[in-house]
Amino acid sequence: MMTIYRAFFQMMAMVLATGLVSPVWAGGSGGDGMQVPEARIAVIDIQTILRDSEAAISLRKQVDNETRKYRDQWVKRRDKIKDMQQDLERQRNLLSQDAFQKKYREWEKEANDFNDEVKVHEEQLTLASNEALSVIHSDLIKIISALTVESNINIVLGREQVLLLMNNGMDITKEALEALNEQRPSVTLDVAAAAKKIREARERSQ
């Protein structure tokens, strides 16, 4: 899950690095006569919002529940496959070549099926998480845009981009977090829908 959030942070950083430019053009003229906007900068801590927002918290809980739901059965399957492997090792010199190969193929199929199931579920969970995060991302961008217009801001930077000291009045994290909590108190982790999309995409590619 941390990988998913890391990718989201990078995506948000790219958006914020470009700056959100307001339609207000104030300030002096450039050398070619163009109006140069007066820089009005705000800073936002995306990591804090994704840690503390109600929607992000609800998503993490759903991911944890989904993972926990499969954990016990996966442990049992893994233990079964391990026992099969140990039996193979013990019987290697007791079985005929044909009998050993048959048992080996049974173990190999069981192991491959298990690995495939885990991989598919992880793929579904990742897609479902990314789509839920994209909902938060879309809402947050709209909220930031509204705040820039409201406060006459024309540049928004991610907190991780600000290496020097800044005025606390530049930080719009609290306002954005409160607005996001009001607008999006929760988000749905739809693993079934993600599974359907993956299945349909594979069918189209065949």
Side-chain angles (χ1 to χ4, degrees):
M1 186 61 183
M2 291 306 297
T3 301
I4 298 171
Y5 277 104
R6 192 174 300 112
F8 182 76
F9 294 150
Q10 292 171 350
M11 177 173 60
M12 286 298 299
M14 290 176 63
V15 173
L16 296 176
T18 62
L20 296 175
V21 182
S22 76
V24 179
W25 291 81
S29 298
D32 57 1
M34 291 180 60
Q35 286 294 104
V36 179
E38 176 186 356
R40 294 182 59 83
I41 301 172
V43 175
I44 188 166
D45 190 335
I46 299 299
Q47 187 169 357
T48 292
I49 291 176
L50 284 187
R51 184 190 67 212
D52 297 342
S53 71
E54 294 175 4
I57 291 171
S58 77
L59 177 58
R60 287 198 299 272
K61 287 180 179 178
Q62 291 174 78
V63 170
D64 288 343
N65 289 338
E66 181 70 16
T67 301
R68 193 178 303 113
K69 185 170 67 176
Y70 285 87
R71 186 177 298 148
D72 289 344
Q73 68 184 56
W74 282 349
V75 168
K76 292 178 181 177
R77 287 278 302 280
R78 189 176 63 238
D79 289 345
K80 176 185 175 183
I81 292 168
K82 185 177 179 181
D83 290 342
M84 290 175 68
Q85 184 181 21
Q86 291 173 345
D87 285 341
L88 269 176
E89 291 297 326
R90 284 193 295 267
Q91 298 178 50
R92 178 184 293 272
N93 298 322
L94 302 175
L95 297 172
S96 67
Q97 184 68 17
D98 289 344
F100 179 81
Q101 287 298 325
K102 180 181 178 181
K103 283 185 171 292
Y104 177 83
R105 286 192 296 269
E106 290 173 354
W107 168 82
E108 186 178 44
K109 183 179 185 305
E110 187 74 24
N112 288 339
D113 288 348
F114 172 68
N115 289 333
D116 288 344
E117 287 179 26
V118 172
K119 182 178 178 181
V120 166
H121 183 263
E122 288 178 347
E123 186 178 3
Q124 294 169 355
L125 184 57
T126 297
L127 177 58
S129 299
N130 283 339
E131 294 195 336
L133 282 171
S134 72
V135 172
I136 301 175
H137 165 260
S138 178
D139 288 344
L140 186 55
I141 289 297
K142 291 175 184 176
I143 288 168
I144 294 172
S145 297
L147 288 173
T148 62
V149 173
E150 181 182 316
S151 302
N152 194 22
I153 295 164
N154 52 30
I155 299 175
V156 180
L157 299 175
R159 184 65 183 86
E160 69 280 358
Q161 297 172 273
V162 182
L163 303 179
L164 302 177
L165 295 175
M166 69 173 191
N167 187 316
N168 288 334
M170 298 167 63
D171 195 330
I172 62 172
T173 302
K174 183 174 181 291
E175 291 83 354
L177 178 60
E178 290 175 350
L180 180 61
N181 284 341
E182 182 177 353
Q183 180 174 326
R184 182 72 61 179
S186 64
V187 68
T188 300
L189 180 76
D190 197 338
V191 179
K196 182 179 178 182
K197 284 188 176 182
I198 292 172
R199 184 172 60 253
E200 290 174 347
R202 287 175 176 165
E203 290 173 353
R204 287 194 300 269
S205 66
Q206 291 177 352

